[in-house]
PDB file of all heavy atoms in Angstrom:
ATOM      1  N   LYS P 180     -23.012  -3.254  -7.070  1.00  0.00           N
ATOM      2  CA  LYS P 180     -22.178  -3.613  -5.794  1.00  0.00           C
ATOM      3  C   LYS P 180     -23.033  -4.032  -4.669  1.00  0.00           C
ATOM      4  O   LYS P 180     -23.931  -3.264  -4.328  1.00  0.00           O
ATOM      5  CB  LYS P 180     -21.282  -2.300  -5.393  1.00  0.00           C
ATOM      6  CG  LYS P 180     -20.463  -2.547  -4.237  1.00  0.00           C
ATOM      7  CD  LYS P 180     -19.482  -3.690  -4.334  1.00  0.00           C
ATOM      8  CE  LYS P 180     -18.867  -4.058  -3.057  1.00  0.00           C
ATOM      9  NZ  LYS P 180     -18.099  -5.345  -3.174  1.00  0.00           N
ATOM     10  N   CYS P 183     -21.358  -8.313   1.185  1.00  0.00           N
ATOM     11  CA  CYS P 183     -21.776  -9.459   1.947  1.00  0.00           C
ATOM     12  C   CYS P 183     -21.171  -9.454   3.338  1.00  0.00           C
ATOM     13  O   CYS P 183     -19.937  -9.606   3.467  1.00  0.00           O
ATOM     14  CB  CYS P 183     -21.271 -10.620   1.140  1.00  0.00           C
ATOM     15  SG  CYS P 183     -21.461 -12.211   1.950  1.00  0.00           S
ATOM     16  N   HIS P 185     -20.564 -11.205   6.523  1.00  0.00           N
ATOM     17  CA  HIS P 185     -20.758 -12.509   6.981  1.00  0.00           C
ATOM     18  C   HIS P 185     -21.187 -12.572   8.434  1.00  0.00           C
ATOM     19  O   HIS P 185     -22.092 -13.334   8.755  1.00  0.00           O
ATOM     20  CB  HIS P 185     -19.345 -13.248   6.898  1.00  0.00           C
ATOM     21  CG  HIS P 185     -18.844 -13.305   5.450  1.00  0.00           C
ATOM     22  ND1 HIS P 185     -19.241 -14.316   4.645  1.00  0.00           N
ATOM     23  CD2 HIS P 185     -17.936 -12.647   4.860  1.00  0.00           C
ATOM     24  CE1 HIS P 185     -18.619 -14.177   3.478  1.00  0.00           C
ATOM     25  NE2 HIS P 185     -17.806 -13.138   3.606  1.00  0.00           N
ATOM     26  N   LYS P 222     -16.008   4.449  -6.142  1.00  0.00           N
ATOM     27  CA  LYS P 222     -15.078   3.452  -5.545  1.00  0.00           C
ATOM     28  C   LYS P 222     -14.884   2.164  -6.227  1.00  0.00           C
ATOM     29  O   LYS P 222     -13.823   1.557  -6.226  1.00  0.00           O
ATOM     30  CB  LYS P 222     -15.530   3.246  -4.131  1.00  0.00           C
ATOM     31  CG  LYS P 222     -15.285   4.400  -3.074  1.00  0.00           C
ATOM     32  CD  LYS P 222     -15.660   3.971  -1.660  1.00  0.00           C
ATOM     33  CE  LYS P 222     -15.332   5.313  -0.819  1.00  0.00           C
ATOM     34  NZ  LYS P 222     -15.548   4.907   0.543  1.00  0.00           N
ATOM     35  N   THR P 227     -11.493   0.496  -5.075  1.00  0.00           N
ATOM     36  CA  THR P 227     -11.477   0.435  -3.609  1.00  0.00           C
ATOM     37  C   THR P 227     -12.584  -0.536  -3.213  1.00  0.00           C
ATOM     38  O   THR P 227     -12.460  -1.188  -2.197  1.00  0.00           O
ATOM     39  CB  THR P 227     -11.775   1.863  -3.071  1.00  0.00           C
ATOM     40  OG1 THR P 227     -10.695   2.696  -3.451  1.00  0.00           O
ATOM     41  CG2 THR P 227     -11.829   1.847  -1.564  1.00  0.00           C
ATOM     42  N   LEU P 229     -14.624  -3.993  -4.773  1.00  0.00           N
ATOM     43  CA  LEU P 229     -14.569  -4.973  -5.795  1.00  0.00           C
ATOM     44  C   LEU P 229     -15.942  -4.995  -6.349  1.00  0.00           C
ATOM     45  O   LEU P 229     -16.946  -5.380  -5.651  1.00  0.00           O
ATOM     46  CB  LEU P 229     -14.311  -6.292  -5.236  1.00  0.00           C
ATOM     47  CG  LEU P 229     -12.855  -6.706  -4.958  1.00  0.00           C
ATOM     48  CD1 LEU P 229     -12.846  -8.103  -4.338  1.00  0.00           C
ATOM     49  CD2 LEU P 229     -12.007  -6.645  -6.301  1.00  0.00           C
ATOM     50  N   HIS P 253      -1.842  -5.056 -10.094  1.00  0.00           N
ATOM     51  CA  HIS P 253      -0.672  -4.193 -10.435  1.00  0.00           C
ATOM     52  C   HIS P 253      -1.034  -3.176 -11.575  1.00  0.00           C
ATOM     53  O   HIS P 253      -0.463  -2.075 -11.493  1.00  0.00           O
ATOM     54  CB  HIS P 253       0.498  -5.145 -10.886  1.00  0.00           C
ATOM     55  CG  HIS P 253       1.137  -5.800  -9.760  1.00  0.00           C
ATOM     56  ND1 HIS P 253       1.095  -7.173  -9.515  1.00  0.00           N
ATOM     57  CD2 HIS P 253       1.891  -5.272  -8.688  1.00  0.00           C
ATOM     58  CE1 HIS P 253       1.817  -7.451  -8.443  1.00  0.00           C
ATOM     59  NE2 HIS P 253       2.278  -6.340  -7.968  1.00  0.00           N
TER      60      HIS P 253
ATOM     61  N   GLU I 119       7.644  -2.069  -5.110  1.00  0.00           N
ATOM     62  CA  GLU I 119       6.326  -2.186  -4.532  1.00  0.00           C
ATOM     63  C   GLU I 119       6.436  -2.501  -2.987  1.00  0.00           C
ATOM     64  O   GLU I 119       7.342  -3.234  -2.600  1.00  0.00           O
ATOM     65  CB  GLU I 119       5.591  -3.328  -5.263  1.00  0.00           C
ATOM     66  CG  GLU I 119       4.261  -3.644  -4.636  1.00  0.00           C
ATOM     67  CD  GLU I 119       3.485  -4.781  -5.339  1.00  0.00           C
ATOM     68  OE1 GLU I 119       4.156  -5.629  -6.001  1.00  0.00           O
ATOM     69  OE2 GLU I 119       2.313  -4.763  -5.228  1.00  0.00           O
ATOM     70  N   ASP I 277       7.641   7.007   8.341  1.00  0.00           N
ATOM     71  CA  ASP I 277       7.981   8.067   7.432  1.00  0.00           C
ATOM     72  C   ASP I 277       9.336   7.738   6.826  1.00  0.00           C
ATOM     73  O   ASP I 277       9.514   7.840   5.531  1.00  0.00           O
ATOM     74  CB  ASP I 277       8.220   9.370   8.124  1.00  0.00           C
ATOM     75  CG  ASP I 277       6.865  10.090   8.399  1.00  0.00           C
ATOM     76  OD1 ASP I 277       5.851   9.544   7.831  1.00  0.00           O
ATOM     77  OD2 ASP I 277       6.835  11.157   9.003  1.00  0.00           O
ATOM     78  N   ASP I 322      -6.458  -0.538   0.006  1.00  0.00           N
ATOM     79  CA  ASP I 322      -7.675   0.226   0.371  1.00  0.00           C
ATOM     80  C   ASP I 322      -8.890  -0.557   0.229  1.00  0.00           C
ATOM     81  O   ASP I 322      -9.785  -0.539   0.850  1.00  0.00           O
ATOM     82  CB  ASP I 322      -7.790   1.476  -0.483  1.00  0.00           C
ATOM     83  CG  ASP I 322      -7.597   1.289  -1.999  1.00  0.00           C
ATOM     84  OD1 ASP I 322      -6.825   0.464  -2.298  1.00  0.00           O
ATOM     85  OD2 ASP I 322      -8.329   2.007  -2.675  1.00  0.00           O
ATOM     86  N   GLU I 326     -11.613  -1.354   3.069  1.00  0.00           N
ATOM     87  CA  GLU I 326     -13.001  -0.808   2.824  1.00  0.00           C
ATOM     88  C   GLU I 326     -13.972  -1.760   2.309  1.00  0.00           C
ATOM     89  O   GLU I 326     -15.164  -1.629   2.496  1.00  0.00           O
ATOM     90  CB  GLU I 326     -12.878   0.398   1.864  1.00  0.00           C
ATOM     91  CG  GLU I 326     -12.179   1.575   2.512  1.00  0.00           C
ATOM     92  CD  GLU I 326     -12.526   2.923   1.786  1.00  0.00           C
ATOM     93  OE1 GLU I 326     -13.673   3.068   1.525  1.00  0.00           O
ATOM     94  OE2 GLU I 326     -11.642   3.675   1.624  1.00  0.00           O
ATOM     95  N   ASP I 327     -13.501  -2.887   1.699  1.00  0.00           N
ATOM     96  CA  ASP I 327     -14.381  -3.811   1.127  1.00  0.00           C
ATOM     97  C   ASP I 327     -13.799  -5.294   1.348  1.00  0.00           C
ATOM     98  O   ASP I 327     -13.593  -5.990   0.399  1.00  0.00           O
ATOM     99  CB  ASP I 327     -14.638  -3.592  -0.304  1.00  0.00           C
ATOM    100  CG  ASP I 327     -15.699  -4.490  -0.986  1.00  0.00           C
ATOM    101  OD1 ASP I 327     -16.424  -5.151  -0.200  1.00  0.00           O
ATOM    102  OD2 ASP I 327     -15.705  -4.571  -2.166  1.00  0.00           O
ATOM    103  N   GLN I 329     -13.479  -9.126   1.995  1.00  0.00           N
ATOM    104  CA  GLN I 329     -14.324 -10.164   1.465  1.00  0.00           C
ATOM    105  C   GLN I 329     -14.547 -11.277   2.477  1.00  0.00           C
ATOM    106  O   GLN I 329     -15.680 -11.843   2.554  1.00  0.00           O
ATOM    107  CB  GLN I 329     -13.794 -10.758   0.134  1.00  0.00           C
ATOM    108  CG  GLN I 329     -13.491  -9.692  -0.915  1.00  0.00           C
ATOM    109  CD  GLN I 329     -14.767  -9.185  -1.439  1.00  0.00           C
ATOM    110  OE1 GLN I 329     -15.626  -9.760  -1.917  1.00  0.00           O
ATOM    111  NE2 GLN I 329     -14.832  -7.765  -1.321  1.00  0.00           N
ATOM    112  N   GLN I 334     -13.214  -9.071   7.699  1.00  0.00           N
ATOM    113  CA  GLN I 334     -14.331  -8.121   8.033  1.00  0.00           C
ATOM    114  C   GLN I 334     -14.277  -7.863   9.538  1.00  0.00           C
ATOM    115  O   GLN I 334     -14.387  -6.679   9.988  1.00  0.00           O
ATOM    116  CB  GLN I 334     -15.660  -8.628   7.615  1.00  0.00           C
ATOM    117  CG  GLN I 334     -15.876  -8.728   6.054  1.00  0.00           C
ATOM    118  CD  GLN I 334     -17.181  -9.154   5.563  1.00  0.00           C
ATOM    119  OE1 GLN I 334     -17.970  -9.578   6.363  1.00  0.00           O
ATOM    120  NE2 GLN I 334     -17.447  -9.095   4.290  1.00  0.00           N
TER     121      GLN I 334
END
Side-chain angles (χ1 to χ4, degrees):
Chain P
K180 176 62 193 168
C183 174
H185 298 283
K222 287 186 177 181
T227 297
L229 276 180
H253 285 110
Chain I
E119 174 181 25
D277 278 354
D322 54 324
E326 292 198 40
D327 185 16
Q329 305 294 304
Q334 292 182 355

